[in-house]
């Protein structure tokens, strides 16, 4: 079975632009979460979606938004990019609460 | 903010030695999970221990959990060069939310 897939793998943007990152969960997984990992740190929770509804939001500004589609894939949108948004963005899917999360390899976003 | 904090931040050992990493957290949890991350890649789930469990084994991995001290440890026995990676503990809070709160990680270097 295919794991969690994310696209694109790398992206370079300039300040003020917006970006859309995409994630396809493992087949059968209805929960998708997004994390931001800055170099040298652990991942930080951004959003969680289950059955197309937002179930949790981390401490990120309103420039960050996400949605989940009927096929359970998800998009993360970031507007008005700042230099500090440069990071590895990770998507994870899981079957149920209390079960391990399965991570994709992430999208490396660089802001110039 | 980081819920879990790993100790040490970095660890260098010889192949065949055991590696022990510790994690402390602040609030009540549903479970605690350990993940591994190779440079620039996504996270790979290693082991999950629930709040009512004290010890768990998986192959060369042994995890302990002390909820009274809000701490956990990961022991890797007979380490191999291929174990070189960053290791993160992550807590799932008992609020029902599926988001994980990660620590800052331990960078393990296993010298051949």
């Amino acid at each position: 079975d295919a794991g969690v897939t994310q696209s694109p793998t790398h992206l370079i943007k300039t300040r003020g632009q917006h970006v859309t990152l995409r994630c396809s969960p493992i087949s059968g997984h209805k929960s998708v979460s997004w994390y931001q990992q800055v170099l040298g740190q652990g991942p930080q929770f951004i959003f969680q979606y289950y059955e197309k509804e937002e179930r949790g939001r981390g401490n990120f500004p309103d420039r960050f938004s996400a949605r989940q589609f009927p096929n359970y894939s998800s998009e993360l949108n970031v507007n008005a990019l700042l230099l500090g948004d440069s990071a590895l963005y990770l998507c994870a899917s899981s079957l149920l609460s209390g079960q391990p999360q399965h991570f994709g390899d992430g999208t490396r976003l660089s802001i110039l | 903010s980081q819920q879990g904090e790993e100790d040490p931040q970095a660890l260098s050992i010889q192949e065949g030695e055991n590696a022990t990493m510790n994690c402390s957290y602040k609030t009540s949890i549903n479970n605690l999970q350990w993940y591994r991350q190779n440079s620039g890649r996504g996270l790979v789930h290693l082991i999950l221990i629930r709040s009512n469990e004290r010890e768990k084994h998986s192959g060369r991995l042994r995890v302990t959990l002390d909820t009274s001290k809000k701490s956990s440890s990961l022991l890797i026995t007979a380490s191999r060069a291929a174990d070189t990676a960053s290791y993160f503990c992550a807590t799932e809070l008992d609020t029902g939310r599926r988001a994980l709160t990660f620590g800052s990680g331990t960078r393990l270097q296993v010298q051949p």
Side-chain angles (χ1 to χ4, degrees), chain A residues 31 35 37 40-45 48 50 55-57 88 90 95-101 103-105 108, chain B residues 1-2 30-31 33 35 37 40-43 45 48 50 88 92 96-105 107:
Chain A
S31 174
Y35 295 83
Q37 186 177 24
Q41 297 182 18
Q44 291 227 328
F45 170 71
Q48 176 194 67
Y50 180 75
R55 294 298 181 94
R57 173 186 285 254
L88 180 67
L90 295 162
L95 196 57
L96 296 169
S97 176
Q99 298 284 328
Q101 294 198 10
F103 284 81
D105 279 340
R108 172 73 61 189
Chain B
S1 62
Q2 303 283 359
N30 184 36
N31 63 67
Q33 304 177 33
Y35 287 81
Q37 184 178 37
R41 302 295 300 275
L43 284 80
H45 179 262
L48 180 153
R50 303 191 189 284
F88 295 92
E92 183 178 285
R97 201 178 75 165
R98 299 176 192 181
L100 293 174
T101 306
F102 285 85
S104 50
R107 293 188 309 278

Side-chain angles (χ1 to χ4, degrees), chain B residues 36-95:
Chain B
R36 162 195 167 131
Q37 184 178 37
N38 288 82
S39 181
R41 302 295 300 275
L43 284 80
V44 175
H45 179 262
L46 296 175
I47 199 163
L48 180 153
I49 186 165
R50 303 191 189 284
S51 60
N52 61 352
E53 297 176 310
R54 292 297 167 257
E55 188 171 313
K56 209 161 183 182
H57 297 255
S58 176
R60 293 184 297 114
L61 307 179
R62 172 179 169 256
V63 167
T64 62
L65 178 65
D66 187 334
T67 53
S68 66
K69 295 180 179 179
K70 291 186 170 56
S71 67
S72 174
S73 67
L74 170 67
L75 169 67
I76 304 174
T77 60
S79 62
R80 306 166 182 167
D83 294 329
T84 295
S86 291
Y87 292 81
F88 295 92
C89 71
T91 52
E92 183 178 285
L93 303 184
D94 64 357
T95 58

